[in-house]
């Protein structure tokens, strides 16, 4: 088997990998892009895009049910078919990546369908349906392998027809009943979606509260809202055993009554198999959860990594932020170093939970002299006007010694949009004194930022 000489090989064409590969190819390099699944990655086919279509539809149902409190009367009859059709026809083209492959090839890159593995320094072997192909990368190997759903080793779970996000997105109907295992952003979004489409939903979290990485105040708001949507929220619930028979799941807990449901959705995190990626061939730890990278995304001599695998946030926006930095470094061009002080994230529930920078707990753990400010959305004028569906708050976390924000959370209708101003403040280290002197438009949700900042004792 002859080794093919190329300039660069990109393993994994998720948003970041495709971006790097396209930039290198456009610059004139001979680039091979390798992808075993769908070009574009998880986001456009099973995550960001289709799930937000589901969120949009569920939010429309939620808002329609608020009509009696605000504007008269309305009858709401959920129908999942338009959502399923939209995901298939508009978002995923029935999970066909032909257009994405052509988009990449349009940059001048070459596409190879298969599983790529580093087999020696500067060497990648791709397992394809037609047999293995080996490439020698003269300049760079770029790793963007993405992640797979992480399934916990619960007794009886393996071998049952449980869902992950992929099966949930591809569903044609909302189940009669559903248990969601894992109350992080993914689990909570699906929880509210299916609850609003009429499913009897139980969400289970082994930790002491839902949305554990967020501020406790944010968790409290979502807990209250989900219960109002009819969700059975069970935090601190260890799962002992899962069985499946006659089309039903039975989930038994370390304590408390078992639950029987039609569907079980596992949303307990993501994982990457670094051993399968062959990173040991370039001196990296194959047993690690992530690949350490420097500020230019260098992982080893001649190897760069972008995306979830770097451990800087499993978000599409982090991956596409890293991509041009890595590409510039490979091409020998100047660029700003990666800066993760203000990585934003949004949980697209109703209300949305937008977060940026450090939580109060994380800031305290870093030894900062922390001061916080909290403003309730329903106490703000826009929240009072909004009335039904006005749950939420804005919390800001300050480094009192430097007089700047190091983190913030916006739980509100459109909380992800409110987060924009807070992300700028954290990233640019805008002095709190400046934030206090700003003019905030009235009456807006983001005006509550002013009230939260005024609560900071610095």
């Amino acid at each position: 088997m002859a080794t093919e000489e190329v300039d660069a090989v990109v393993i994994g064409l998720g948003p970041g990998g495709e971006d790097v590969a396209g930039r290198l190819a456009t610059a004139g390099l001979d680039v091979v892009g390798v992808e075993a699944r769908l070009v574009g990655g998880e986001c456009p086919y099973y995550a960001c895009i289709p799930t937000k279509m589901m969120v949009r539809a569920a939010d429309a149902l939620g808002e329609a049910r608020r009509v009696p409190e605000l504007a008269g009367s309305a009858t709401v009859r959920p129908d999942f078919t338009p959502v399923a059709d939209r995901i298939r026809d508009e978002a995923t083209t029935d999970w066909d990546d032909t257009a994405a492959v052509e988009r990449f090839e349009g940059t001048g890159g070459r596409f190879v369908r298969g599983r790529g593995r580093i087999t020696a320094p500067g060497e990648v072997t791709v397992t394809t349906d037609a047999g293995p192909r080996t490439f020698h990368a003269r300049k760079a190997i770029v790793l963007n392998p993405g992640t797979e759903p992480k399934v916990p080793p619960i007794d009886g779970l393996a071998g049952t027809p449980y869902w992950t996000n992929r099966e949930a997105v591809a569903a044609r109907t909302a189940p009669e009943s559903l248990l969601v295992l894992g109350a992080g952003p993914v689990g909570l979004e699906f929880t509210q979606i299916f609850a609003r489409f009429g499913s009897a939903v139980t969400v289970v979290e082994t930790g002491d509260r839902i949305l554990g990485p967020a501020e406790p105040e944010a968790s409290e708001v979502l807990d209250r809202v989900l219960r109002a949507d009819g969700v059975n929220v069970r935090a601190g619930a260890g799962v002992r055993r899962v069985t499946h028979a006659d089309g039903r799941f039975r989930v038994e807990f370390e304590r408390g009554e078992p639950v029987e449901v039609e569907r079980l959705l596992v949303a307990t995190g993501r994982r990457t198999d670094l051993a399968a990626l062959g990173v040991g061939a370039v001196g990296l730890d194959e047993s690690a959860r992530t690949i350490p990278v420097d500020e230019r995304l260098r992982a080893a001599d001649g190897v760069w990594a972008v995306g979830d695998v770097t451990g800087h946030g499993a978000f599409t926006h982090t991956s596409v932020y890293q991509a041009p930095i890595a590409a510039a470094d490979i091409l020998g061009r100047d660029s700003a170093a990666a800066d993760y002080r203000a990585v934003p994230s949004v949980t697209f529930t109703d209300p949305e939970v937008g977060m940026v920078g450090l939580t109060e707990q994380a800031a305290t753990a870093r030894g900062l002299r922390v001061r916080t400010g909290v403003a309730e959305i329903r106490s703000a004028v826009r929240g009072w006007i909004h009335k039904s569906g006005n749950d939420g708050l804005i919390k800001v976390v300050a480094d009192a010694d430097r007089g700047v924000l190091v983190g913030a959370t916006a739980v509100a209708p459109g909380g992800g949009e409110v987060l924009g101003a807070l992300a700028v403040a954290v990233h640019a280290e805008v002095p709190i004194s400046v934030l206090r002197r700003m003019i905030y438009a009235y009456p807006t949700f983001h005006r509550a930022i002013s009230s939260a900042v005024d609560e900071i004792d610095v």
Side-chain angles (χ1 to χ4, degrees):
M1 179 179 61
T3 298
E4 302 175 54
E5 292 286 331
V6 298
D7 291 320
V9 178
V10 180
I11 301 177
L13 295 181
E18 183 185 354
D19 190 295
V20 173
R23 288 172 185 270
L24 298 180
T26 300
L29 270 60
D30 183 4
V31 180
V32 170
V34 180
E35 178 56 67
R37 296 189 292 267
L38 297 171
V39 174
E42 197 86 354
C43 178
Y45 299 102
Y46 298 108
C48 321
I49 305 303
T51 60
K52 300 316 165 278
M53 288 182 171
M54 299 168 83
V55 165
R56 169 68 175 132
D59 283 354
L61 293 172
E63 195 67 5
R65 290 172 178 135
R66 292 166 179 151
V67 167
E69 190 174 357
L70 296 170
S73 62
T75 301
V76 182
R77 289 186 295 272
D79 181 359
F80 202 73
T81 301
V83 187
D85 287 347
R86 189 180 182 204
I87 289 171
R88 183 193 63 210
D89 299 336
E90 297 179 29
T92 68
T93 321
D94 205 13
W95 292 273
D96 184 335
D97 67 349
T98 299
V101 172
E102 293 174 349
R103 178 179 65 224
F104 168 61
E105 292 179 333
T107 67
R110 290 188 285 152
F111 175 65
V112 176
R113 181 84 68 188
R115 294 199 173 274
R117 175 183 173 84
I118 302 175
T119 43
E123 181 182 278
V124 172
T125 298
V126 184
T127 303
T128 75
D129 289 343
R133 295 176 65 181
T134 299
F135 299 91
H136 177 257
R138 290 182 290 259
K139 291 183 69 71
I141 295 172
V142 181
L143 304 177
N144 180 225
T147 57
E148 296 279 350
K150 182 179 180 181
V151 180
I154 296 171
D155 182 27
L157 179 60
T160 66
Y162 61 82
W163 280 358
T164 67
N165 63 300
R166 295 173 183 173
E167 290 77 21
V169 161
R172 295 295 306 169
T173 59
E176 165 263 325
S177 55
L178 172 71
L179 186 142
V180 179
L181 185 57
V186 173
L188 292 179
E189 288 176 12
F190 279 122
T191 290
Q192 192 173 58
I193 288 165
F194 285 113
R196 289 185 168 183
F197 271 95
S199 303
V201 182
T202 297
V203 61
V204 175
E205 173 56 49
T206 57
D208 60 359
R209 59 186 173 91
I210 65 174
L211 203 63
E215 297 282 9
E217 296 92 338
S219 298
E220 291 170 9
V221 170
L222 279 193
D223 189 289
R224 182 173 66 247
V225 168
L226 291 174
R227 291 179 190 276
D229 272 341
V231 174
N232 177 17
V233 180
R234 296 182 67 161
V239 178
R240 187 165 63 89
R241 181 182 296 113
V242 172
T243 56
H244 183 264
D246 301 322
R248 304 282 293 181
F249 286 90
R250 177 181 171 87
V251 181
E252 299 176 21
F253 302 93
E254 298 295 344
R255 51 187 174 83
E257 293 298 311
V259 174
E260 292 192 5
V261 289
E262 179 187 355
R263 294 289 184 185
L264 170 62
L265 170 59
V266 177
T268 50
R270 312 284 298 184
R271 63 180 291 273
T272 298
D273 188 348
L274 296 186
L277 197 58
V279 299
V282 290
L284 298 174
D285 182 1
E286 293 188 343
S287 66
R289 295 180 58 189
T290 59
I291 296 176
V293 293
D294 69 9
E295 71 279 2
R296 306 290 175 184
L297 288 310
R298 304 169 190 138
D301 186 27
V303 180
W304 287 255
V306 298
D308 301 3
V309 74
T310 66
H312 287 291
F315 314 119
T316 295
H317 48 266
T318 301
S319 188
V320 297
Y321 166 76
Q322 294 171 327
I325 299 172
D329 196 53
I330 294 166
L331 294 169
R333 298 173 179 172
D334 290 334
S335 73
D339 179 355
Y340 304 106
R341 285 173 302 155
V343 177
S345 66
V346 182
T347 300
F348 290 89
T349 45
D350 175 17
E352 292 179 358
V353 180
M355 300 167 53
V356 65
L358 303 176
T359 61
E360 179 181 0
Q361 182 181 23
T364 300
R366 292 196 182 187
L368 302 181
R369 189 165 66 90
V370 175
R371 296 291 182 270
T372 64
V374 178
E376 297 287 339
I377 292 297
R378 61 179 53 181
S379 298
V381 172
R382 179 61 184 275
W384 175 75
I385 293 170
H386 199 74
K387 195 175 181 178
S388 184
N390 65 354
D391 294 275
L393 56 90
I394 290 176
K395 180 175 180 178
V396 289
V397 180
D399 177 347
D401 291 329
R402 291 190 296 144
V404 297
L405 299 186
V406 293
T409 296
V411 186
E417 309 306 323
V418 174
L419 186 70
L422 293 165
V424 170
V426 173
H427 179 81
E429 297 185 331
V430 178
I432 292 170
S433 58
V434 173
L435 296 174
R436 284 178 173 150
R437 294 196 302 270
M438 281 178 56
I439 300 174
Y440 297 83
Y442 181 93
T444 59
F445 287 118
H446 82 255
R447 187 174 172 83
I449 294 172
S450 176
S451 299
V453 169
D454 284 344
E455 291 294 314
I456 300 173
D457 181 21
V458 295

